[in-house]
Amino acid sequence: MPAHFISRLILLLSGLALMAFGVTISIHSNLGTSPISSIPYSYSFIFNMSVGTLTVLMHIVMILLQMALLGKQFQWRQWLQLPVGIIFGAFIDILMWATQGWSMHVYALQIGACLFSCLITAIGVCLVVKANLVFLAGEGLYAAVSKRFGFEFGSCKTYGDIVLVLIAVISAWSVLGEIIGVREGTIITALAVGSLVKRMLPKLSFIKFNQ
């Protein structure tokens, strides 16, 4: 068992909760969700399933893709991404239910909510990184592509996010005849969260676990 397991687990769960809250706020802003949530959100209109449930299903697909890419290099501990994805999806559904009465129609308020969601999401990502236990399947898939083909991880994430958004756009347009969950907020989130994480992580250097 990793050193300081309970403390790190609490940090991980706190990070997942904040990330889920960030997803929830971005959905309520009606300006588009983050790239990683664009598929679950748009597909929730296609299949009449909750965003959290579709998030879990997407995690399963991403884990299976990691297995296909890595082959024998796929390690059993990477399956830990599945319970993390289930917890993340459950947090999203709980928070969506708790905030179902929220409605934003004033553009300035929508932009403010979008920016706040970026901040909350970035803090959550930092906590997950500092916990250093297991990451979400999206990052796991990008890491697998990087390892399999020798591409730089940052490039894999950038192009991977673009692919996710394109899948969401094409799927919604093909089935529903309109684009759902992808707007200017999607671009803002894609650009802002990574930048905020880079700025915040050094300020959280006091959070460390001695082995």
Side-chain angles (χ1 to χ4, degrees), residues 114-162:
C114 178
L115 294 175
F116 183 63
S117 75
C118 292
L119 176 63
I120 293 297
T121 300
I123 295 174
V125 170
C126 288
L127 295 183
V128 171
V129 170
K130 296 300 291 187
N132 194 27
L133 283 176
V134 62
F135 296 100
L136 292 171
E139 280 63 39
L141 177 58
Y142 298 150
V145 173
S146 175
K147 186 174 183 178
R148 175 67 175 80
F149 299 105
F151 299 144
E152 196 267 326
F153 177 81
S155 298
C156 291
K157 178 170 175 56
T158 298
Y159 291 114
D161 285 350
I162 292 173

mmCIF file of all heavy atoms in Angstrom, residues 114-162:
data_model
loop_
_atom_site.group_PDB
_atom_site.id
_atom_site.type_symbol
_atom_site.label_atom_id
_atom_site.label_comp_id
_atom_site.label_asym_id
_atom_site.label_seq_id
_atom_site.Cartn_x
_atom_site.Cartn_y
_atom_site.Cartn_z
ATOM 1 N N CYS A 114 -18.377 30.126 -16.553
ATOM 2 C CA CYS A 114 -17.404 29.355 -17.327
ATOM 3 C C CYS A 114 -15.998 29.520 -16.759
ATOM 4 O O CYS A 114 -15.264 28.539 -16.580
ATOM 5 C CB CYS A 114 -17.449 29.805 -18.790
ATOM 6 S SG CYS A 114 -16.240 28.980 -19.856
ATOM 7 N N LEU A 115 -15.634 30.759 -16.454
ATOM 8 C CA LEU A 115 -14.306 31.020 -15.897
ATOM 9 C C LEU A 115 -14.163 30.405 -14.511
ATOM 10 O O LEU A 115 -13.098 29.870 -14.161
ATOM 11 C CB LEU A 115 -14.053 32.525 -15.839
ATOM 12 C CG LEU A 115 -13.970 33.238 -17.194
ATOM 13 C CD1 LEU A 115 -13.834 34.749 -17.005
ATOM 14 C CD2 LEU A 115 -12.787 32.711 -18.008
ATOM 15 N N PHE A 116 -15.230 30.469 -13.717
ATOM 16 C CA PHE A 116 -15.202 29.860 -12.378
ATOM 17 C C PHE A 116 -15.051 28.345 -12.485
ATOM 18 O O PHE A 116 -14.339 27.728 -11.686
ATOM 19 C CB PHE A 116 -16.470 30.221 -11.612
ATOM 20 C CG PHE A 116 -16.492 29.698 -10.201
ATOM 21 C CD1 PHE A 116 -15.559 30.127 -9.268
ATOM 22 C CD2 PHE A 116 -17.452 28.771 -9.803
ATOM 23 C CE1 PHE A 116 -15.571 29.647 -7.961
ATOM 24 C CE2 PHE A 116 -17.476 28.286 -8.507
ATOM 25 C CZ PHE A 116 -16.540 28.721 -7.583
ATOM 26 N N SER A 117 -15.707 27.745 -13.469
ATOM 27 C CA SER A 117 -15.584 26.303 -13.664
ATOM 28 C C SER A 117 -14.152 25.927 -14.021
ATOM 29 O O SER A 117 -13.653 24.876 -13.605
ATOM 30 C CB SER A 117 -16.547 25.816 -14.753
ATOM 31 O OG SER A 117 -16.095 26.156 -16.045
ATOM 32 N N CYS A 118 -13.487 26.795 -14.788
ATOM 33 C CA CYS A 118 -12.076 26.552 -15.130
ATOM 34 C C CYS A 118 -11.209 26.553 -13.879
ATOM 35 O O CYS A 118 -10.323 25.703 -13.710
ATOM 36 C CB CYS A 118 -11.570 27.614 -16.110
ATOM 37 S SG CYS A 118 -12.311 27.547 -17.754
ATOM 38 N N LEU A 119 -11.469 27.530 -12.992
ATOM 39 C CA LEU A 119 -10.707 27.636 -11.752
ATOM 40 C C LEU A 119 -10.925 26.411 -10.868
ATOM 41 O O LEU A 119 -9.960 25.812 -10.366
ATOM 42 C CB LEU A 119 -11.108 28.908 -11.010
ATOM 43 C CG LEU A 119 -10.470 29.134 -9.632
ATOM 44 C CD1 LEU A 119 -8.955 29.269 -9.767
ATOM 45 C CD2 LEU A 119 -11.069 30.376 -8.962
ATOM 46 N N ILE A 120 -12.193 26.031 -10.685
ATOM 47 C CA ILE A 120 -12.523 24.880 -9.837
ATOM 48 C C ILE A 120 -11.923 23.600 -10.417
ATOM 49 O O ILE A 120 -11.362 22.763 -9.692
ATOM 50 C CB ILE A 120 -14.052 24.740 -9.697
ATOM 51 C CG1 ILE A 120 -14.623 25.914 -8.912
ATOM 52 C CG2 ILE A 120 -14.410 23.419 -9.015
ATOM 53 C CD1 ILE A 120 -14.124 26.006 -7.494
ATOM 54 N N THR A 121 -12.040 23.439 -11.723
ATOM 55 C CA THR A 121 -11.491 22.250 -12.376
ATOM 56 C C THR A 121 -9.977 22.187 -12.211
ATOM 57 O O THR A 121 -9.419 21.119 -11.934
ATOM 58 C CB THR A 121 -11.845 22.248 -13.875
ATOM 59 O OG1 THR A 121 -13.269 22.252 -14.027
ATOM 60 C CG2 THR A 121 -11.275 21.008 -14.568
ATOM 61 N N ALA A 122 -9.305 23.327 -12.372
ATOM 62 C CA ALA A 122 -7.851 23.370 -12.249
ATOM 63 C C ALA A 122 -7.403 22.993 -10.841
ATOM 64 O O ALA A 122 -6.429 22.252 -10.665
ATOM 65 C CB ALA A 122 -7.333 24.764 -12.612
ATOM 66 N N ILE A 123 -8.116 23.477 -9.834
ATOM 67 C CA ILE A 123 -7.786 23.115 -8.453
ATOM 68 C C ILE A 123 -7.963 21.608 -8.263
ATOM 69 O O ILE A 123 -7.129 20.936 -7.647
ATOM 70 C CB ILE A 123 -8.678 23.885 -7.458
ATOM 71 C CG1 ILE A 123 -8.394 25.385 -7.535
ATOM 72 C CG2 ILE A 123 -8.432 23.389 -6.028
ATOM 73 C CD1 ILE A 123 -9.335 26.242 -6.701
ATOM 74 N N GLY A 124 -9.051 21.078 -8.809
ATOM 75 C CA GLY A 124 -9.282 19.642 -8.714
ATOM 76 C C GLY A 124 -8.190 18.824 -9.368
ATOM 77 O O GLY A 124 -7.720 17.826 -8.808
ATOM 78 N N VAL A 125 -7.763 19.250 -10.547
ATOM 79 C CA VAL A 125 -6.679 18.559 -11.255
ATOM 80 C C VAL A 125 -5.403 18.583 -10.422
ATOM 81 O O VAL A 125 -4.699 17.567 -10.307
ATOM 82 C CB VAL A 125 -6.426 19.204 -12.637
ATOM 83 C CG1 VAL A 125 -5.156 18.645 -13.268
ATOM 84 C CG2 VAL A 125 -7.607 18.959 -13.567
ATOM 85 N N CYS A 126 -5.107 19.725 -9.823
ATOM 86 C CA CYS A 126 -3.905 19.842 -8.991
ATOM 87 C C CYS A 126 -3.950 18.866 -7.814
ATOM 88 O O CYS A 126 -2.943 18.231 -7.483
ATOM 89 C CB CYS A 126 -3.767 21.271 -8.470
ATOM 90 S SG CYS A 126 -3.274 22.477 -9.722
ATOM 91 N N LEU A 127 -5.107 18.735 -7.182
ATOM 92 C CA LEU A 127 -5.230 17.818 -6.052
ATOM 93 C C LEU A 127 -5.051 16.369 -6.488
ATOM 94 O O LEU A 127 -4.410 15.572 -5.795
ATOM 95 C CB LEU A 127 -6.590 17.999 -5.364
ATOM 96 C CG LEU A 127 -6.845 19.351 -4.690
ATOM 97 C CD1 LEU A 127 -8.188 19.364 -3.982
ATOM 98 C CD2 LEU A 127 -5.726 19.688 -3.704
ATOM 99 N N VAL A 128 -5.612 16.024 -7.655
ATOM 100 C CA VAL A 128 -5.444 14.658 -8.177
ATOM 101 C C VAL A 128 -3.972 14.385 -8.472
ATOM 102 O O VAL A 128 -3.452 13.305 -8.179
ATOM 103 C CB VAL A 128 -6.303 14.454 -9.444
ATOM 104 C CG1 VAL A 128 -5.968 13.122 -10.115
ATOM 105 C CG2 VAL A 128 -7.785 14.507 -9.095
ATOM 106 N N VAL A 129 -3.295 15.371 -9.053
ATOM 107 C CA VAL A 129 -1.869 15.228 -9.360
ATOM 108 C C VAL A 129 -1.060 15.069 -8.084
ATOM 109 O O VAL A 129 -0.175 14.206 -7.982
ATOM 110 C CB VAL A 129 -1.358 16.439 -10.172
ATOM 111 C CG1 VAL A 129 0.161 16.410 -10.287
ATOM 112 C CG2 VAL A 129 -1.975 16.444 -11.565
ATOM 113 N N LYS A 130 -1.354 15.879 -7.074
ATOM 114 C CA LYS A 130 -0.605 15.821 -5.823
ATOM 115 C C LYS A 130 -0.867 14.512 -5.073
ATOM 116 O O LYS A 130 0.015 14.006 -4.385
ATOM 117 C CB LYS A 130 -0.970 17.011 -4.926
ATOM 118 C CG LYS A 130 -0.601 18.375 -5.489
ATOM 119 C CD LYS A 130 0.892 18.511 -5.736
ATOM 120 C CE LYS A 130 1.691 18.557 -4.465
ATOM 121 N NZ LYS A 130 3.118 18.849 -4.694
ATOM 122 N N ALA A 131 -2.069 13.951 -5.212
ATOM 123 C CA ALA A 131 -2.366 12.666 -4.575
ATOM 124 C C ALA A 131 -1.488 11.563 -5.155
ATOM 125 O O ALA A 131 -1.064 10.644 -4.446
ATOM 126 C CB ALA A 131 -3.842 12.318 -4.755
ATOM 127 N N ASN A 132 -1.235 11.649 -6.459
ATOM 128 C CA ASN A 132 -0.315 10.722 -7.140
ATOM 129 C C ASN A 132 -0.674 9.252 -6.895
ATOM 130 O O ASN A 132 0.185 8.425 -6.592
ATOM 131 C CB ASN A 132 1.127 10.994 -6.691
ATOM 132 C CG ASN A 132 2.148 10.312 -7.606
ATOM 133 O OD1 ASN A 132 1.881 10.073 -8.782
ATOM 134 N ND2 ASN A 132 3.311 9.980 -7.069
ATOM 135 N N LEU A 133 -1.965 8.948 -7.025
ATOM 136 C CA LEU A 133 -2.409 7.562 -6.883
ATOM 137 C C LEU A 133 -2.793 6.972 -8.228
ATOM 138 O O LEU A 133 -2.251 5.962 -8.668
ATOM 139 C CB LEU A 133 -3.603 7.476 -5.919
ATOM 140 C CG LEU A 133 -3.275 7.591 -4.429
ATOM 141 C CD1 LEU A 133 -4.555 7.594 -3.603
ATOM 142 C CD2 LEU A 133 -2.368 6.438 -3.985
ATOM 143 N N VAL A 134 -3.759 7.602 -8.892
ATOM 144 C CA VAL A 134 -4.193 7.140 -10.209
ATOM 145 C C VAL A 134 -4.866 8.318 -10.914
ATOM 146 O O VAL A 134 -5.430 9.198 -10.261
ATOM 147 C CB VAL A 134 -5.171 5.954 -10.085
ATOM 148 C CG1 VAL A 134 -6.427 6.365 -9.348
ATOM 149 C CG2 VAL A 134 -5.508 5.375 -11.446
ATOM 150 N N PHE A 135 -4.775 8.346 -12.231
ATOM 151 C CA PHE A 135 -5.353 9.431 -13.001
ATOM 152 C C PHE A 135 -6.621 8.961 -13.713
ATOM 153 O O PHE A 135 -6.914 7.766 -13.765
ATOM 154 C CB PHE A 135 -4.350 9.966 -14.020
ATOM 155 C CG PHE A 135 -3.142 10.589 -13.382
ATOM 156 C CD1 PHE A 135 -1.947 9.898 -13.279
ATOM 157 C CD2 PHE A 135 -3.206 11.869 -12.868
ATOM 158 C CE1 PHE A 135 -0.840 10.462 -12.683
ATOM 159 C CE2 PHE A 135 -2.099 12.457 -12.269
ATOM 160 C CZ PHE A 135 -0.915 11.749 -12.174
ATOM 161 N N LEU A 136 -7.360 9.890 -14.255
ATOM 162 C CA LEU A 136 -8.534 9.546 -15.033
ATOM 163 C C LEU A 136 -8.120 8.885 -16.346
ATOM 164 O O LEU A 136 -6.990 9.055 -16.821
ATOM 165 C CB LEU A 136 -9.366 10.801 -15.309
ATOM 166 C CG LEU A 136 -10.033 11.427 -14.074
ATOM 167 C CD1 LEU A 136 -10.651 12.769 -14.426
ATOM 168 C CD2 LEU A 136 -11.097 10.499 -13.517
ATOM 169 N N ALA A 137 -9.050 8.149 -16.943
ATOM 170 C CA ALA A 137 -8.729 7.341 -18.122
ATOM 171 C C ALA A 137 -8.320 8.182 -19.329
ATOM 172 O O ALA A 137 -7.588 7.702 -20.190
ATOM 173 C CB ALA A 137 -9.926 6.462 -18.481
ATOM 174 N N GLY A 138 -8.783 9.436 -19.385
ATOM 175 C CA GLY A 138 -8.397 10.302 -20.498
ATOM 176 C C GLY A 138 -6.899 10.518 -20.531
ATOM 177 O O GLY A 138 -6.241 10.331 -21.571
ATOM 178 N N GLU A 139 -6.345 10.901 -19.380
ATOM 179 C CA GLU A 139 -4.896 11.091 -19.293
ATOM 180 C C GLU A 139 -4.166 9.761 -19.498
ATOM 181 O O GLU A 139 -3.083 9.713 -20.080
ATOM 182 C CB GLU A 139 -4.523 11.695 -17.943
ATOM 183 C CG GLU A 139 -4.734 13.201 -17.826
ATOM 184 C CD GLU A 139 -6.179 13.612 -17.960
ATOM 185 O OE1 GLU A 139 -7.048 12.891 -17.426
ATOM 186 O OE2 GLU A 139 -6.460 14.645 -18.600
ATOM 187 N N GLY A 140 -4.777 8.670 -18.999
ATOM 188 C CA GLY A 140 -4.186 7.348 -19.191
ATOM 189 C C GLY A 140 -4.092 6.985 -20.665
ATOM 190 O O GLY A 140 -3.093 6.415 -21.120
ATOM 191 N N LEU A 141 -5.139 7.318 -21.432
ATOM 192 C CA LEU A 141 -5.134 7.030 -22.866
ATOM 193 C C LEU A 141 -4.084 7.864 -23.586
ATOM 194 O O LEU A 141 -3.345 7.348 -24.442
ATOM 195 C CB LEU A 141 -6.516 7.300 -23.453
ATOM 196 C CG LEU A 141 -6.654 7.112 -24.967
ATOM 197 C CD1 LEU A 141 -6.272 5.696 -25.372
ATOM 198 C CD2 LEU A 141 -8.069 7.447 -25.425
ATOM 199 N N TYR A 142 -3.988 9.144 -23.243
ATOM 200 C CA TYR A 142 -2.995 10.003 -23.885
ATOM 201 C C TYR A 142 -1.582 9.516 -23.564
ATOM 202 O O TYR A 142 -0.683 9.544 -24.420
ATOM 203 C CB TYR A 142 -3.160 11.456 -23.431
ATOM 204 C CG TYR A 142 -4.504 12.066 -23.790
ATOM 205 C CD1 TYR A 142 -5.084 13.054 -22.999
ATOM 206 C CD2 TYR A 142 -5.209 11.635 -24.906
ATOM 207 C CE1 TYR A 142 -6.314 13.597 -23.315
ATOM 208 C CE2 TYR A 142 -6.439 12.179 -25.235
ATOM 209 C CZ TYR A 142 -6.991 13.159 -24.428
ATOM 210 O OH TYR A 142 -8.210 13.699 -24.758
ATOM 211 N N ALA A 143 -1.383 9.058 -22.322
ATOM 212 C CA ALA A 143 -0.073 8.526 -21.931
ATOM 213 C C ALA A 143 0.238 7.257 -22.712
ATOM 214 O O ALA A 143 1.393 7.020 -23.109
ATOM 215 C CB ALA A 143 -0.049 8.247 -20.428
ATOM 216 N N ALA A 144 -0.790 6.428 -22.957
ATOM 217 C CA ALA A 144 -0.592 5.192 -23.718
ATOM 218 C C ALA A 144 -0.215 5.487 -25.164
ATOM 219 O O ALA A 144 0.674 4.838 -25.739
ATOM 220 C CB ALA A 144 -1.868 4.343 -23.668
ATOM 221 N N VAL A 145 -0.872 6.472 -25.764
ATOM 222 C CA VAL A 145 -0.539 6.880 -27.140
ATOM 223 C C VAL A 145 0.885 7.411 -27.197
ATOM 224 O O VAL A 145 1.652 7.093 -28.107
ATOM 225 C CB VAL A 145 -1.533 7.954 -27.644
ATOM 226 C CG1 VAL A 145 -1.082 8.507 -28.997
ATOM 227 C CG2 VAL A 145 -2.932 7.369 -27.755
ATOM 228 N N SER A 146 1.235 8.227 -26.181
ATOM 229 C CA SER A 146 2.588 8.771 -26.116
ATOM 230 C C SER A 146 3.629 7.664 -26.022
ATOM 231 O O SER A 146 4.663 7.692 -26.710
ATOM 232 C CB SER A 146 2.710 9.713 -24.903
ATOM 233 O OG SER A 146 4.032 10.167 -24.732
ATOM 234 N N LYS A 147 3.355 6.668 -25.181
ATOM 235 C CA LYS A 147 4.295 5.564 -24.983
ATOM 236 C C LYS A 147 4.377 4.661 -26.214
ATOM 237 O O LYS A 147 5.453 4.209 -26.597
ATOM 238 C CB LYS A 147 3.864 4.743 -23.763
ATOM 239 C CG LYS A 147 4.844 3.648 -23.362
ATOM 240 C CD LYS A 147 4.405 2.990 -22.060
ATOM 241 C CE LYS A 147 5.418 1.941 -21.615
ATOM 242 N NZ LYS A 147 5.014 1.319 -20.314
ATOM 243 N N ARG A 148 3.232 4.409 -26.841
ATOM 244 C CA ARG A 148 3.183 3.483 -27.974
ATOM 245 C C ARG A 148 3.842 4.054 -29.220
ATOM 246 O O ARG A 148 4.557 3.357 -29.949
ATOM 247 C CB ARG A 148 1.717 3.124 -28.268
ATOM 248 C CG ARG A 148 1.497 2.252 -29.492
ATOM 249 C CD ARG A 148 2.065 0.862 -29.283
ATOM 250 N NE ARG A 148 1.749 -0.009 -30.390
ATOM 251 C CZ ARG A 148 2.398 -0.038 -31.557
ATOM 252 N NH1 ARG A 148 3.427 0.786 -31.754
ATOM 253 N NH2 ARG A 148 2.032 -0.863 -32.517
ATOM 254 N N PHE A 149 3.627 5.354 -29.477
ATOM 255 C CA PHE A 149 4.108 5.947 -30.722
ATOM 256 C C PHE A 149 5.261 6.927 -30.529
ATOM 257 O O PHE A 149 5.793 7.458 -31.496
ATOM 258 C CB PHE A 149 2.964 6.647 -31.452
ATOM 259 C CG PHE A 149 1.846 5.716 -31.839
ATOM 260 C CD1 PHE A 149 0.647 5.723 -31.143
ATOM 261 C CD2 PHE A 149 2.004 4.827 -32.891
ATOM 262 C CE1 PHE A 149 -0.386 4.863 -31.489
ATOM 263 C CE2 PHE A 149 0.978 3.961 -33.253
ATOM 264 C CZ PHE A 149 -0.216 3.967 -32.546
ATOM 265 N N GLY A 150 5.635 7.194 -29.262
ATOM 266 C CA GLY A 150 6.765 8.072 -28.997
ATOM 267 C C GLY A 150 6.464 9.541 -29.159
ATOM 268 O O GLY A 150 7.379 10.356 -29.305
ATOM 269 N N PHE A 151 5.170 9.907 -29.140
ATOM 270 C CA PHE A 151 4.799 11.312 -29.241
ATOM 271 C C PHE A 151 4.914 11.987 -27.876
ATOM 272 O O PHE A 151 4.840 11.326 -26.839
ATOM 273 C CB PHE A 151 3.362 11.462 -29.756
ATOM 274 C CG PHE A 151 3.137 10.892 -31.123
ATOM 275 C CD1 PHE A 151 1.941 10.275 -31.442
ATOM 276 C CD2 PHE A 151 4.116 10.972 -32.100
ATOM 277 C CE1 PHE A 151 1.729 9.745 -32.701
ATOM 278 C CE2 PHE A 151 3.919 10.443 -33.360
ATOM 279 C CZ PHE A 151 2.717 9.822 -33.665
ATOM 280 N N GLU A 152 5.081 13.300 -27.876
ATOM 281 C CA GLU A 152 5.146 14.060 -26.635
ATOM 282 C C GLU A 152 3.752 14.092 -26.010
ATOM 283 O O GLU A 152 2.742 14.253 -26.695
ATOM 284 C CB GLU A 152 5.645 15.479 -26.934
ATOM 285 C CG GLU A 152 6.122 16.248 -25.712
ATOM 286 C CD GLU A 152 5.012 17.079 -25.117
ATOM 287 O OE1 GLU A 152 4.173 17.570 -25.901
ATOM 288 O OE2 GLU A 152 4.969 17.228 -23.884
ATOM 289 N N PHE A 153 3.685 13.903 -24.675
ATOM 290 C CA PHE A 153 2.404 13.779 -23.996
ATOM 291 C C PHE A 153 1.527 15.007 -24.218
ATOM 292 O O PHE A 153 0.316 14.883 -24.460
ATOM 293 C CB PHE A 153 2.605 13.557 -22.495
ATOM 294 C CG PHE A 153 1.312 13.503 -21.720
ATOM 295 C CD1 PHE A 153 0.564 12.330 -21.685
ATOM 296 C CD2 PHE A 153 0.843 14.618 -21.040
ATOM 297 C CE1 PHE A 153 -0.641 12.280 -20.978
ATOM 298 C CE2 PHE A 153 -0.354 14.569 -20.344
ATOM 299 C CZ PHE A 153 -1.088 13.401 -20.312
ATOM 300 N N GLY A 154 2.099 16.194 -24.132
ATOM 301 C CA GLY A 154 1.330 17.423 -24.315
ATOM 302 C C GLY A 154 0.656 17.469 -25.676
ATOM 303 O O GLY A 154 -0.501 17.886 -25.794
ATOM 304 N N SER A 155 1.373 17.023 -26.696
ATOM 305 C CA SER A 155 0.800 16.997 -28.048
ATOM 306 C C SER A 155 -0.329 15.980 -28.136
ATOM 307 O O SER A 155 -1.364 16.234 -28.762
ATOM 308 C CB SER A 155 1.887 16.652 -29.073
ATOM 309 O OG SER A 155 2.903 17.622 -29.081
ATOM 310 N N CYS A 156 -0.144 14.830 -27.485
ATOM 311 C CA CYS A 156 -1.189 13.803 -27.473
ATOM 312 C C CYS A 156 -2.463 14.339 -26.829
ATOM 313 O O CYS A 156 -3.571 14.094 -27.322
ATOM 314 C CB CYS A 156 -0.710 12.567 -26.723
ATOM 315 S SG CYS A 156 0.595 11.649 -27.553
ATOM 316 N N LYS A 157 -2.298 15.083 -25.741
ATOM 317 C CA LYS A 157 -3.463 15.636 -25.044
ATOM 318 C C LYS A 157 -4.152 16.681 -25.910
ATOM 319 O O LYS A 157 -5.388 16.701 -26.008
ATOM 320 C CB LYS A 157 -3.058 16.245 -23.709
ATOM 321 C CG LYS A 157 -4.236 16.873 -22.961
ATOM 322 C CD LYS A 157 -3.875 17.248 -21.549
ATOM 323 C CE LYS A 157 -5.025 17.985 -20.876
ATOM 324 N NZ LYS A 157 -6.285 17.204 -20.901
ATOM 325 N N THR A 158 -3.373 17.542 -26.539
ATOM 326 C CA THR A 158 -3.958 18.597 -27.378
ATOM 327 C C THR A 158 -4.763 18.003 -28.521
ATOM 328 O O THR A 158 -5.935 18.350 -28.731
ATOM 329 C CB THR A 158 -2.858 19.505 -27.945
ATOM 330 O OG1 THR A 158 -2.162 20.141 -26.873
ATOM 331 C CG2 THR A 158 -3.459 20.574 -28.851
ATOM 332 N N TYR A 159 -4.138 17.097 -29.278
ATOM 333 C CA TYR A 159 -4.824 16.502 -30.423
ATOM 334 C C TYR A 159 -5.935 15.558 -29.975
ATOM 335 O O TYR A 159 -6.966 15.435 -30.647
ATOM 336 C CB TYR A 159 -3.820 15.769 -31.316
ATOM 337 C CG TYR A 159 -2.875 16.705 -32.037
ATOM 338 C CD1 TYR A 159 -1.512 16.706 -31.759
ATOM 339 C CD2 TYR A 159 -3.360 17.610 -32.978
ATOM 340 C CE1 TYR A 159 -0.647 17.576 -32.416
ATOM 341 C CE2 TYR A 159 -2.510 18.489 -33.634
ATOM 342 C CZ TYR A 159 -1.151 18.461 -33.341
ATOM 343 O OH TYR A 159 -0.306 19.324 -33.989
ATOM 344 N N GLY A 160 -5.732 14.896 -28.834
ATOM 345 C CA GLY A 160 -6.770 14.027 -28.302
ATOM 346 C C GLY A 160 -8.019 14.809 -27.928
ATOM 347 O O GLY A 160 -9.145 14.374 -28.216
ATOM 348 N N ASP A 161 -7.842 15.969 -27.308
ATOM 349 C CA ASP A 161 -8.981 16.812 -26.951
ATOM 350 C C ASP A 161 -9.719 17.285 -28.202
ATOM 351 O O ASP A 161 -10.947 17.363 -28.219
ATOM 352 C CB ASP A 161 -8.513 18.022 -26.137
ATOM 353 C CG ASP A 161 -8.160 17.660 -24.694
ATOM 354 O OD1 ASP A 161 -8.457 16.516 -24.279
ATOM 355 O OD2 ASP A 161 -7.591 18.510 -23.994
ATOM 356 N N ILE A 162 -8.960 17.598 -29.245
ATOM 357 C CA ILE A 162 -9.577 18.021 -30.505
ATOM 358 C C ILE A 162 -10.431 16.898 -31.081
ATOM 359 O O ILE A 162 -11.546 17.118 -31.553
ATOM 360 C CB ILE A 162 -8.497 18.454 -31.519
ATOM 361 C CG1 ILE A 162 -7.814 19.744 -31.038
ATOM 362 C CG2 ILE A 162 -9.113 18.672 -32.905
ATOM 363 C CD1 ILE A 162 -6.628 20.165 -31.891
#
